[in-house]
Amino acid sequence: MPAAEYMRDMVARSSFIRKMFEEGIKLKAQFGPENVFDFSLGNPDLPPPPQFKTTLRDLVEEMDGHGYMPNPGWPQVRTAVAEYLTREQGVELKMEHVVMTPGAAGGLHVALKSIFNPGEELITPAPYFVEYGTYAQISGGKLVTVPTGPGFGLDPAAVEAALTERTRAVLINSPNNPTGAVYTQEQLEGLARVLEGAKSRWNRRIYLISDEPYRKIVYDGLKVPSIFRVYPHTFLVTSYSKELSLAGERIGFVAVHPQAEDVGELCQVMVIANRIFYVNAPSMMQLAVGRLQGVCVDVSVYQRRRDIFYEGLIRAGYQVEKPGGAFYLFPKSPLPDDVAFTGLLKEERILVVPGSGFGGPGYFRISYAVPDRTISASLEGFRRALEKA
Ligand SMILES: Cc1ncc(COP(=O)(O)O)c(C=O)c1O
């Protein structure tokens, strides 16, 4: 067998999602794309804010080279990000704390590669973003999942129970994919106490990685608490994939807290990790987002869709938490076998992802990054599938 064993395992694990994707294509060919209700992909469908195009036009005129640059990114962009984060997080950052990466995925790889030794453990609350297991593995780590509390909230006691002398980091994601949950200040402070407690117990620093690509996509005036003010030994990872609808352009960053333990060394290894994985993040996109700090898509559109979908599902008889952010709903499957229930939805030409794929069996994930009319037109199918179940 020419392929590496762990890569072959990854192919096997991804075949389920690929199968769904292929079935979606088949259904669309058979019934016409407008008659298939595809809620399977978390691909932002809103256009980027208008400033994005004008910024790109300016850059086409202004850029006088497209060569290599320092591995962590353009200094003026890292400075702009550091200044923005200083205001957002209430903690003063400098350019050296920021590494520009190809999306949040790139930032996660850089953070994990920077701190993991072979066999060390990464704790994450389930349900979780499906790629975390793979990302941990690539850096030599092992993913350990812990349950969430009511409303899929963060449960610090569950994290505490899973800590061992091999724990290297805890990875959280709020607003969450797939549940839409937004962790509270109190939950985050509880987690920080647990991680400080582990330091006294094992004399070992456990880092926190906060994956926040949906930070700006929150509803009803909710605010995502500043993670840097809660726990200093933190990597903040994010991207412009969702807030500027630039998922295909691959741009984001990882920032380390200026008071993190061994911060000087961490800044050095982050640069090396970025270099070995990517050399540097896409040049023109760095320059564009550097000029668009704080700009965001129209979140009210996602909120309106959440409301239409949530209310429609409740009326149809589903059990579902009202999400505070991101663009996902995570309803309870009316059948204990969530894969079987997504099969019933498929008979109604509705495509969703079984919760089992996110470490959340007994649920299914809906992505509402789709036009309002797709949501409204699907609700009758959701009602019929529930009736069949
Ligand atoms: C929770 C979470 N983290 C990371 C990513 C990767 O984001 P990016 O496309 O910016 O790499 C995603 C993408 O959907 C996500 O949902």
Side-chain angles (χ1 to χ4, degrees):
M1 281 287 187
E5 258 170 56
Y6 81 101
M7 289 304 292
R8 262 191 280 138
D9 286 351
M10 283 182 200
V11 172
R13 279 203 303 269
S14 70
S15 67
F16 183 67
I17 295 170
R18 206 177 50 226
K19 200 166 133 233
M20 261 195 44
F21 185 66
E22 281 161 9
E23 281 178 19
I25 293 175
K26 236 190 280 168
L27 279 177
K28 285 173 194 171
Q30 195 178 347
F31 297 101
E34 66 288 359
N35 297 314
V36 178
F37 310 107
D38 190 350
F39 305 115
S40 60
L41 276 185
N43 194 8
D45 70 318
L46 299 185
Q51 298 96 305
F52 176 67
K53 270 196 184 163
T54 49
T55 304
L56 277 192
R57 277 194 204 106
D58 293 346
L59 284 172
V60 167
E61 295 304 323
E62 290 171 31
M63 279 179 82
D64 57 4
H66 297 268
Y68 291 120
M69 69 184 73
N71 299 122
W74 289 112
Q76 69 270 35
V77 175
R78 295 166 72 206
T79 301
V81 170
E83 284 170 2
Y84 182 79
L85 277 182
T86 297
R87 292 193 297 278
E88 180 194 85
Q89 294 284 315
V91 171
E92 197 180 336
L93 276 92
K94 298 261 184 298
M95 167 185 111
E96 53 266 29
H97 303 119
V98 176
V99 173
M100 301 305 294
T101 59
L108 288 168
H109 281 303
V110 167
L112 292 167
K113 194 74 188 165
S114 297
I115 55 174
F116 267 78
N117 296 297
E120 290 180 329
E121 292 169 358
L122 173 69
I123 297 178
T124 201
Y128 60 96
F129 178 50
V130 66
E131 302 287 8
Y132 286 169
T134 313
Y135 293 177
Q137 195 180 3
I138 285 173
S139 293
K142 180 171 167 274
L143 192 72
V144 175
T145 62
V146 297
T148 40
F152 303 110
L154 179 66
D155 180 359
V159 174
E160 187 169 30
L163 292 172
T164 72
E165 58 280 286
R166 288 181 306 282
T167 309
R168 186 67 178 153
V170 174
L171 169 57
I172 57 170
N173 164 225
S174 166
N176 186 266
N177 175 10
T179 67
V182 179
Y183 297 161
T184 64
Q185 180 81 25
E186 202 187 345
Q187 290 165 356
L188 296 171
E189 284 171 2
L191 177 64
R193 276 194 298 276
V194 163
L195 299 185
E196 281 301 350
K199 169 77 180 176
S200 339
R201 189 167 158 202
W202 285 301
N203 192 27
R204 177 178 168 78
R205 174 57 65 199
I206 295 179
Y207 288 97
L208 180 62
I209 303 172
S210 185
D211 180 23
E212 308 189 353
Y214 303 94
R215 160 175 272 277
K216 293 201 176 66
I217 305 185
V218 281
Y219 311 127
D220 310 317
L222 210 61
K223 278 220 163 9
V224 178
S226 154
I227 196 66
F228 274 175
R229 265 187 287 178
V230 172
Y231 187 67
H233 314 288
T234 296
F235 295 86
L236 192 162
V237 175
T238 190
S239 72
Y240 302 89
S241 300
K242 323 289 169 171
E243 63 188 56
L244 291 180
S245 276
L246 294 182
E249 303 294 351
R250 313 307 307 137
I251 187 70
F253 64 83
V254 49
V256 64
H257 193 297
Q259 272 101 47
E261 196 166 297
D262 296 320
V263 66
E265 192 173 78
L266 292 178
C267 290
Q268 287 175 348
V269 294
M270 280 160 57
V271 173
I272 300 298
N274 206 44
R275 186 180 88 198
I276 58 178
F277 277 133
Y278 314 112
V279 182
N280 57 251
S283 170
M284 196 170 186
M285 284 303 135
Q286 285 191 45
L287 294 170
V289 300
R291 294 180 185 191
L292 296 171
Q293 292 298 298
V295 180
C296 187
V297 295
D298 181 1
V299 174
S300 71
V301 177
Y302 286 134
Q303 178 164 333
R304 185 179 68 228
R305 293 171 180 174
R306 177 205 60 171
D307 291 340
I308 300 171
F309 226 146
Y310 172 77
E311 282 152 24
L313 290 174
I314 292 287
R315 262 199 312 277
Y318 284 85
Q319 283 178 46
V320 54
E321 293 287 336
K322 193 171 192 177
F327 37 64
Y328 307 105
L329 287 150
F330 204 61
K332 201 163 173 38
S333 165
L335 296 175
D337 181 348
D338 49 303
V339 179
F341 184 67
T342 58
L344 289 184
L345 286 173
K346 215 178 296 153
E347 287 172 17
E348 303 294 334
R349 285 173 271 123
I350 294 173
L351 304 176
V352 298
V353 187
S356 305
F358 302 95
Y363 293 84
F364 61 95
R365 190 195 77 169
I366 293 172
S367 163
Y368 52 87
V370 297
D372 296 22
R373 62 178 183 284
T374 310
I375 300 171
S376 311
S378 73
L379 290 172
E380 188 48 31
F382 273 101
R383 196 193 55 73
R384 278 195 301 267
L386 182 60
E387 225 169 59
K388 281 193 216 165

